[in-house]
Amino acid sequence: MSEISRLAESDDCLDPELVDTITDISEGDLLLVNDDARTWEVTDVSEESLEEVTDSRQSKRVCQLSTRKAVFAIELVEFVDHHEATLQPLETTRWAESNSSYDVTNVEILDQQVPWVVVTSGAGKYHFPDPQAAAFGEAAPVCGGGNQDAEYRIARISAVVPAYSGCRNCVRHEKPIELDVVTCPECQRTICSGVFQGVDSAAVDGLSIVCPGCGFDGVVDVLIEPFSS
Protein backbone atom coordinates (compact mmCIF):
# COMPACT_ATOMS: atom_id res chain seq x y z
CA MET A 1 0.00 0.00 0.00
CA SER A 2 1.60 3.29 -1.09
CA GLU A 3 2.19 6.18 1.29
CA ILE A 4 0.18 4.59 4.06
CA SER A 5 1.27 5.11 7.65
CA ARG A 6 1.61 2.12 9.93
CA LEU A 7 -0.63 2.11 12.97
CA ALA A 8 1.02 4.08 15.74
CA GLU A 9 0.44 3.82 19.45
CA SER A 10 -0.95 7.30 20.03
CA ASP A 11 -3.71 8.92 22.05
CA ASP A 12 -4.23 11.70 19.50
CA CYS A 13 -7.89 12.37 18.82
CA LEU A 14 -9.22 11.65 15.35
CA ASP A 15 -10.15 14.75 13.35
CA PRO A 16 -13.92 15.36 13.75
CA GLU A 17 -14.26 15.93 9.98
CA LEU A 18 -12.71 12.53 9.32
CA VAL A 19 -15.09 10.97 11.86
CA ASP A 20 -18.05 12.58 10.05
CA THR A 21 -16.77 11.33 6.67
CA ILE A 22 -16.46 7.74 7.89
CA THR A 23 -19.89 7.99 9.52
CA ASP A 24 -21.36 9.12 6.19
CA ILE A 25 -20.00 6.13 4.23
CA SER A 26 -22.76 4.00 2.70
CA GLU A 27 -22.81 0.69 0.86
CA GLY A 28 -22.07 1.26 -2.83
CA ASP A 29 -19.82 4.29 -2.28
CA LEU A 30 -16.43 4.54 -3.97
CA LEU A 31 -13.60 5.72 -1.71
CA LEU A 32 -10.01 6.88 -1.71
CA VAL A 33 -8.28 6.00 1.57
CA ASN A 34 -4.99 7.54 2.74
CA ASP A 35 -4.30 8.79 -0.81
CA ASP A 36 -3.64 5.20 -1.91
CA ALA A 37 -3.61 4.32 -5.61
CA ARG A 38 -6.62 2.01 -5.27
CA THR A 39 -10.29 2.95 -5.61
CA TRP A 40 -12.34 1.02 -3.04
CA GLU A 41 -15.97 -0.02 -3.36
CA VAL A 42 -17.94 -0.21 -0.10
CA THR A 43 -19.63 -3.62 -0.09
CA ASP A 44 -20.99 -3.69 3.46
CA VAL A 45 -21.49 -1.37 6.45
CA SER A 46 -22.28 -2.57 9.97
CA GLU A 47 -22.67 -0.79 13.31
CA GLU A 48 -22.58 -2.18 16.81
CA SER A 49 -23.21 -0.69 20.26
CA LEU A 50 -20.75 -1.85 22.90
CA GLU A 51 -22.19 -1.76 26.39
CA GLU A 52 -19.82 -3.99 28.36
CA VAL A 53 -18.91 -2.29 31.65
CA THR A 54 -15.30 -3.45 31.35
CA ASP A 55 -15.00 -2.19 27.75
CA SER A 56 -14.03 1.45 27.28
CA ARG A 57 -15.43 1.39 23.74
CA GLN A 58 -18.96 2.71 23.21
CA SER A 59 -19.66 1.75 19.59
CA LYS A 60 -18.02 0.34 16.49
CA ARG A 61 -18.67 1.02 12.81
CA VAL A 62 -17.12 -1.28 10.20
CA CYS A 63 -17.08 -0.52 6.47
CA GLN A 64 -15.95 -3.39 4.24
CA LEU A 65 -14.02 -2.26 1.16
CA SER A 66 -13.23 -4.23 -1.98
CA THR A 67 -11.02 -3.93 -5.03
CA ARG A 68 -10.24 -6.56 -7.65
CA LYS A 69 -7.45 -8.11 -5.58
CA ALA A 70 -8.13 -7.13 -1.96
CA VAL A 71 -10.75 -6.79 0.74
CA PHE A 72 -10.10 -4.38 3.61
CA ALA A 73 -12.18 -2.88 6.41
CA ILE A 74 -12.27 0.56 7.97
CA GLU A 75 -13.08 0.21 11.66
CA LEU A 76 -14.24 3.35 13.49
CA VAL A 77 -14.37 2.94 17.26
CA GLU A 78 -16.02 5.48 19.55
CA PHE A 79 -14.70 6.03 23.06
CA VAL A 80 -16.06 8.43 25.68
CA ASP A 81 -13.78 11.29 24.67
CA HIS A 82 -12.36 10.37 21.26
CA HIS A 83 -12.56 8.14 18.16
CA GLU A 84 -10.03 5.80 16.59
CA ALA A 85 -10.03 4.56 13.00
CA THR A 86 -7.95 1.77 11.50
CA LEU A 87 -7.66 0.16 8.08
CA GLN A 88 -7.39 -3.61 8.34
CA PRO A 89 -6.76 -6.23 5.62
CA LEU A 90 -9.24 -9.10 5.34
CA GLU A 91 -7.97 -10.53 2.04
CA THR A 92 -4.99 -9.32 0.03
CA THR A 93 -2.49 -10.60 -2.52
CA ARG A 94 0.20 -8.31 -1.10
CA TRP A 95 2.00 -10.31 1.59
CA ALA A 96 3.40 -7.18 3.25
CA GLU A 97 -0.14 -6.01 4.05
CA SER A 98 -1.61 -9.27 5.25
CA ASN A 99 -0.83 -8.95 8.97
CA SER A 100 -0.77 -5.18 9.35
CA SER A 101 -3.17 -2.48 10.47
CA TYR A 102 -2.94 1.18 9.52
CA ASP A 103 -4.04 4.54 10.82
CA VAL A 104 -6.83 6.05 8.73
CA THR A 105 -5.58 9.57 8.03
CA ASN A 106 -7.76 10.55 5.08
CA VAL A 107 -10.96 9.30 3.43
CA GLU A 108 -12.56 10.80 0.34
CA ILE A 109 -16.01 9.67 -0.81
CA LEU A 110 -16.00 10.05 -4.59
CA ASP A 111 -19.04 11.71 -6.10
CA GLN A 112 -20.58 9.46 -8.74
CA GLN A 113 -23.46 11.73 -9.74
CA VAL A 114 -23.31 13.75 -12.94
CA PRO A 115 -26.40 14.78 -14.94
CA TRP A 116 -25.46 12.89 -18.12
CA VAL A 117 -23.51 9.66 -18.63
CA VAL A 118 -22.62 7.34 -21.52
CA VAL A 119 -23.81 3.74 -21.47
CA THR A 120 -24.19 0.69 -23.66
CA SER A 121 -27.33 -1.41 -23.96
CA GLY A 122 -27.86 -3.76 -21.03
CA ALA A 123 -26.90 -3.26 -17.39
CA GLY A 124 -23.24 -2.57 -16.66
CA LYS A 125 -20.97 0.39 -16.05
CA TYR A 126 -21.76 3.97 -16.86
CA HIS A 127 -18.99 6.40 -17.81
CA PHE A 128 -18.61 10.14 -17.58
CA PRO A 129 -18.98 11.58 -21.10
CA ASP A 130 -15.94 12.82 -22.98
CA PRO A 131 -16.73 16.55 -23.32
CA GLN A 132 -14.91 16.88 -26.65
CA ALA A 133 -16.88 14.03 -28.20
CA ALA A 134 -20.13 15.29 -26.65
CA ALA A 135 -19.56 18.70 -28.26
CA PHE A 136 -19.90 16.94 -31.63
CA GLY A 137 -22.92 14.92 -30.55
CA GLU A 138 -20.95 11.73 -30.00
CA ALA A 139 -21.05 9.44 -26.95
CA ALA A 140 -17.67 8.27 -25.67
CA PRO A 141 -16.26 7.46 -22.21
CA VAL A 142 -13.99 10.20 -20.87
CA CYS A 143 -11.61 7.55 -19.47
CA GLY A 144 -11.04 6.14 -22.95
CA GLY A 145 -11.75 2.67 -21.59
CA GLY A 146 -14.79 0.44 -21.62
CA ASN A 147 -15.79 -1.81 -24.49
CA GLN A 148 -14.03 -0.38 -27.53
CA ASP A 149 -16.45 -2.10 -29.94
CA ALA A 150 -19.62 -1.06 -28.12
CA GLU A 151 -22.12 1.52 -29.32
CA TYR A 152 -22.48 4.08 -26.54
CA ARG A 153 -25.39 6.43 -26.03
CA ILE A 154 -25.84 9.47 -23.80
CA ALA A 155 -28.45 9.06 -21.04
CA ARG A 156 -29.60 10.84 -17.91
CA ILE A 157 -28.00 9.20 -14.89
CA SER A 158 -31.40 8.91 -13.20
CA ALA A 159 -32.49 6.61 -16.04
CA VAL A 160 -29.69 4.06 -15.56
CA VAL A 161 -29.01 4.08 -11.80
CA PRO A 162 -29.15 1.74 -9.87
CA ALA A 163 -28.93 -0.85 -12.66
CA TYR A 164 -25.59 0.62 -13.72
CA SER A 165 -22.60 1.45 -11.51
CA GLY A 166 -19.94 4.07 -12.11
CA CYS A 167 -16.67 3.40 -13.89
CA ARG A 168 -13.98 3.69 -11.21
CA ASN A 169 -11.51 5.41 -13.54
CA CYS A 170 -14.03 8.08 -14.54
CA VAL A 171 -15.16 8.66 -10.97
CA ARG A 172 -11.61 8.87 -9.62
CA HIS A 173 -10.01 11.10 -12.24
CA GLU A 174 -12.93 13.18 -13.53
CA LYS A 175 -14.25 14.50 -10.22
CA PRO A 176 -17.33 16.61 -10.98
CA ILE A 177 -17.23 20.21 -9.77
CA GLU A 178 -20.45 22.22 -9.83
CA LEU A 179 -20.33 25.69 -11.38
CA ASP A 180 -22.56 28.21 -9.66
CA VAL A 181 -24.94 30.17 -11.91
CA VAL A 182 -22.95 32.86 -13.76
CA THR A 183 -24.74 36.17 -14.30
CA CYS A 184 -23.76 39.31 -16.18
CA PRO A 185 -22.45 41.92 -13.70
CA GLU A 186 -24.05 44.72 -15.75
CA CYS A 187 -27.61 43.54 -16.48
CA GLN A 188 -27.81 40.43 -14.18
CA ARG A 189 -28.76 38.20 -17.11
CA THR A 190 -28.12 34.49 -16.48
CA ILE A 191 -25.29 33.39 -18.73
CA CYS A 192 -24.61 29.76 -17.82
CA SER A 193 -24.36 27.04 -15.20
CA GLY A 194 -23.05 23.50 -15.33
CA VAL A 195 -20.46 20.98 -14.17
CA PHE A 196 -16.70 20.89 -14.65
CA GLN A 197 -14.95 17.52 -14.93
CA GLY A 198 -11.34 16.82 -14.04
CA VAL A 199 -10.71 20.41 -12.93
CA ASP A 200 -8.68 21.53 -9.91
CA SER A 201 -11.13 23.89 -8.22
CA ALA A 202 -8.26 25.96 -6.81
CA ALA A 203 -7.15 26.76 -10.36
CA VAL A 204 -10.44 28.36 -11.48
CA ASP A 205 -11.51 31.74 -10.14
CA GLY A 206 -12.97 33.52 -13.16
CA LEU A 207 -14.81 33.06 -16.43
CA SER A 208 -14.57 35.15 -19.57
CA ILE A 209 -18.05 36.02 -20.89
CA VAL A 210 -19.76 38.10 -23.55
CA CYS A 211 -23.30 39.01 -22.53
CA PRO A 212 -25.80 38.71 -25.42
CA GLY A 213 -28.08 41.18 -23.61
CA CYS A 214 -26.04 44.26 -22.80
CA GLY A 215 -22.81 43.40 -24.59
CA PHE A 216 -20.62 43.19 -21.48
CA ASP A 217 -17.28 41.62 -22.46
CA GLY A 218 -14.98 40.69 -19.60
CA VAL A 219 -14.09 38.32 -16.79
CA VAL A 220 -16.49 37.56 -13.94
CA ASP A 221 -15.80 35.79 -10.66
CA VAL A 222 -17.13 32.23 -10.38
CA LEU A 223 -17.90 30.05 -7.39
CA ILE A 224 -17.38 26.32 -7.79
CA GLU A 225 -17.92 23.64 -5.19
CA PRO A 226 -18.04 19.85 -5.04
CA PHE A 227 -21.01 18.54 -7.02
CA SER A 228 -24.03 17.71 -4.89
CA SER A 229 -26.48 15.15 -6.20
Side-chain angles (χ1 to χ4, degrees), residues 177-183 192-194 196 207 222-225:
I177 301 293
E178 189 170 19
L179 174 68
D180 201 14
V181 174
V182 176
T183 58
C192 66
S193 63
F196 286 127
L207 191 67
V222 296
L223 176 64
I224 56 178
E225 53 190 27

Side-chain angles (χ1 to χ4, degrees), residues 111-132:
D111 198 320
Q112 303 179 57
Q113 301 294 307
V114 289
W116 297 91
V117 295
V118 295
V119 297
T120 59
S121 59
K125 299 287 183 184
Y126 67 78
H127 296 261
F128 287 6
D130 183 318
Q132 228 176 354

